[in-house]
Amino acid sequence: MALGREGPSIQLGAMAGKGVSRVLKRGKTEEKFLLTCGASAGMAAAFQAPLAGVMFTMEEIHKNFTAAVFVSAMTSAVVADYMTTRVLGMDPVFQFEIVGNLPQGYYGLLILMGVLLGFFGVFYNWFTLKVQTFYQKIFAFRPAGKAVIPFLAAGILGIFAPEVLGNGHSLIETMTHERMIIQTLLILFALRFVFSAVSFGAGVPGGIFFPMLVLGAFAGCVFGTVCSELFGIPGEYINNFILLAMAGFFTAVVRAPMTGIILIFELTGSISQMLSLSVVTVIAYISAMMLKSEPIYESLLARILKGRKQEPEESGQEKVLDYYAVAEDAFVSGRTVREIPWPEFCLLVSIRRGERELIPKGKTRIQTGDVIITMTDEEHNGAVCDQMKQLCRNE
C-alpha cells in the first residue's frame, strides 16, 4: 500500500501516553500533556527528527504553545530519538545530496513553485476526501470490503509498475540519485497520486504523512526538471527543488509551516536551505489559505466524528486546565477582565506574566504575551478552546 508508518507511530505513541495516564490515575489535564508527549515520541522515532515531532504535535494536536508542554514533549522526543539511533541503530530516513544553496536569482521560480504547490495541496485534500466518500457509498453495508480495491490495485501495479508500491522511500532515493525523463516522472507521479488516495481511502492501517512527502518530492522533481530543460538551470539543483517542494506541499496540505521547515532541516542536517524553505512554505501556505481549503487532518477528524453519530459521553465532571498565550493585537490585549466576553462554562484561573502569577480581578488588564489559564469541564472543553483561541489570537 502507498501508506506510511509515521501516522500509526504517532497514534501508538499518543495511546501509550494515554495508557500511562490511566494506569497512574492522572487527571484530564495531565492526560492531555501525556498524549502530546507520546505523539511527539512517535513522530521522533519514525523520522529521527525530535524537533519536528515536537512542532507537529504542538501545531496539530495540542494546539497550544507553552513552556510546560514544550519541555515535556521535547524530553519525550529526544529520548525516543536516542533510543532509535543509539540503542536500536536505525539510520535517518533520508540522506539527501545537496550541492549548495539555490542562487537567489532563481527565487522567482520558488515563488511560482510555492503557488503551484498550494493549488496542488488543495486538490490533494479534495481528491482524498472524494475517494473516501466513494468508498463509503459503495461499501456502506460492508466496510471490510473496502480493502479489496487497494489490494487489487496493488496486484496490478506490482506487475506493471512495482516502483509505485510501498511507502515511497525508494522513489525518493531514485529521484535524488538518478535523473529520469519527464515522461516517466509524470506517469509515476500520476500513478502514485491515485494509488495513495485509493490506499488511504480504504481505511486500512497506515498514514498519509510520508506519502505526502513523496508526492511533494515528485512535484519538485517535475518542476526542477522542467526548469532545467526550459531555463537551463543546472541539473544539480533539481535535488534542491525536491527538498523544497516536500516542505511546501506538506505545508499546503497540513497547514503546519513550522513543522515542514524543521522536518526538512532535520532530515538533511543542514540549515543552508532555511531561506529558500521559508519562501516556498510561506507562499504555499498563503495560496492554500486563500483557496479556503481546510487542513487535511481537521477535515478527516470532522468526517470521523460525523460518521460515528454518537452522543457525547458523560464526562464525570472531569476538569481540564488550558493555557492560552495572548498574541499581539489580539482581542483581549489591552482590555480588562470585566470587558472581555469570556466563553460560557469557562473559569478564569490565573494570568501568568513572565515569572509572576496574577490572580485575575475585574480591573486586571490583559497584556500581550500573557498566558491565560482557564478551567472547564471536559464536556465543554472543545467549544471553550475554540472561543478562547479567537479571543487570544490576532484573527
Side-chain angles (χ1 to χ4, degrees):
M1 300 297 164
L3 299 169
R5 69 176 186 269
E6 293 71 29
S9 297
I10 293 171
Q11 293 168 357
L12 289 169
M15 292 307 294
K18 187 172 184 177
V20 170
S21 174
R22 296 297 172 87
V23 169
L24 300 180
K25 295 180 170 54
R26 314 312 296 175
K28 287 296 178 182
T29 300
E30 282 195 47
E31 184 169 294
K32 288 182 64 178
F33 277 67
L34 289 167
L35 280 166
T36 303
C37 292
S40 299
M43 175 82 166
F47 272 116
Q48 287 89 62
L51 279 176
V54 173
M55 291 305 303
F56 178 77
T57 53
M58 294 182 75
E59 282 189 306
E60 290 299 313
I61 296 176
H62 202 84
K63 303 282 189 182
N64 200 355
F65 288 79
T66 63
V69 178
F70 180 81
V71 172
S72 303
M74 194 69 208
T75 301
S76 64
V78 169
V79 172
D81 180 62
Y82 180 84
M83 291 294 296
T84 53
T85 55
R86 298 295 182 182
V87 178
L88 301 178
M90 296 176 64
D91 294 324
V93 178
F94 296 125
Q95 294 182 352
F96 275 95
E97 295 180 2
I98 304 295
V99 296
N101 296 334
L102 193 69
Q104 293 188 5
Y106 297 143
Y107 273 37
L109 293 174
L110 293 186
I111 295 176
L112 175 60
M113 185 172 74
V115 172
L116 294 176
L117 289 172
F119 279 84
F120 180 40
V122 171
F123 177 73
Y124 173 85
N125 290 359
W126 174 84
F127 188 76
T128 300
L129 296 177
K130 285 295 182 183
V131 171
Q132 282 197 336
T133 302
F134 168 78
Y135 273 114
Q136 290 173 357
K137 290 181 178 179
I138 300 299
F139 299 97
F141 301 103
R142 299 187 63 184
K146 292 188 292 186
V148 173
I149 293 180
F151 272 109
L152 289 176
I156 297 172
L157 291 172
I159 298 174
F160 298 102
E163 303 89 349
V164 180
L165 302 179
N167 63 2
H169 183 273
S170 59
L171 287 172
I172 295 181
E173 292 289 331
T174 302
M175 281 186 282
T176 54
H177 292 85
E178 301 176 12
R179 292 290 169 256
M180 294 188 287
I181 61 175
I182 190 66
Q183 292 87 348
T184 302
L185 276 173
L186 290 174
I187 292 173
L188 292 176
F189 189 12
L191 290 175
R192 180 71 190 187
F193 177 81
V194 175
F195 187 49
S196 295
V198 169
S199 298
F200 183 74
V204 295
I208 58 172
F209 199 110
F210 197 91
M212 278 192 290
L213 296 181
V214 175
L215 292 175
F218 262 115
C221 190
V222 170
F223 187 86
T225 303
V226 171
C227 290
S228 178
E229 295 181 359
L230 293 182
F231 306 112
I233 294 177
E236 58 264 25
Y237 288 125
I238 292 179
N239 279 7
N240 294 67
F241 285 108
I242 293 175
L243 178 78
L244 299 173
M246 289 169 68
F249 182 65
F250 175 84
T251 299
V253 174
V254 180
R255 218 66 54 80
M258 289 301 298
T259 300
I261 292 174
I262 293 176
L263 175 63
I264 301 303
F265 151 66
E266 287 192 290
L267 292 180
T268 58
S270 172
I271 63 173
S272 61
Q273 310 294 320
M274 193 62 70
L275 178 59
S276 52
L277 273 172
S278 301
V279 171
V280 173
T281 53
V282 168
I283 297 298
Y285 181 92
I286 294 174
S287 301
M289 187 175 60
M290 291 180 66
L291 292 172
K292 301 185 185 315
S293 171
E294 290 289 330
I296 186 63
Y297 288 125
E298 293 185 12
S299 300
L300 293 172
L301 175 60
R303 177 161 294 202
I304 290 172
L305 296 177
K306 182 180 178 181
R308 287 179 178 175
K309 297 178 181 178
Q310 296 177 346
E311 292 294 329
E313 296 181 0
E314 293 295 329
S315 63
Q317 299 303 312
E318 288 277 3
K319 308 301 180 184
V320 179
L321 286 176
D322 281 311
Y323 301 75
Y324 304 95
V326 178
E328 186 177 1
D329 296 330
F331 178 84
V332 300
S333 182
R335 287 182 166 86
T336 61
V337 170
R338 66 165 61 96
E339 296 173 339
I340 299 170
W342 300 101
E344 193 177 5
F345 308 111
C346 170
L347 174 65
L348 183 58
V349 177
S350 67
I351 299 172
R352 185 176 297 164
R353 183 170 296 163
E355 298 297 326
R356 293 187 299 158
E357 197 88 20
L358 307 179
I359 298 176
K361 301 178 181 178
K363 61 182 180 181
T364 303
R365 191 171 298 276
I366 307 295
Q367 298 180 6
T368 299
D370 287 350
V371 176
I372 299 175
I373 304 175
T374 64
M375 178 184 291
T376 184
D377 293 331
E378 182 189 7
E379 177 183 0
H380 304 111
N381 184 240
V384 170
C385 185
D386 291 339
Q387 295 176 57
M388 286 298 300
K389 287 176 182 177
Q390 292 180 359
L391 292 173
C392 296
R393 293 180 181 177
N394 183 10
E395 295 181 349

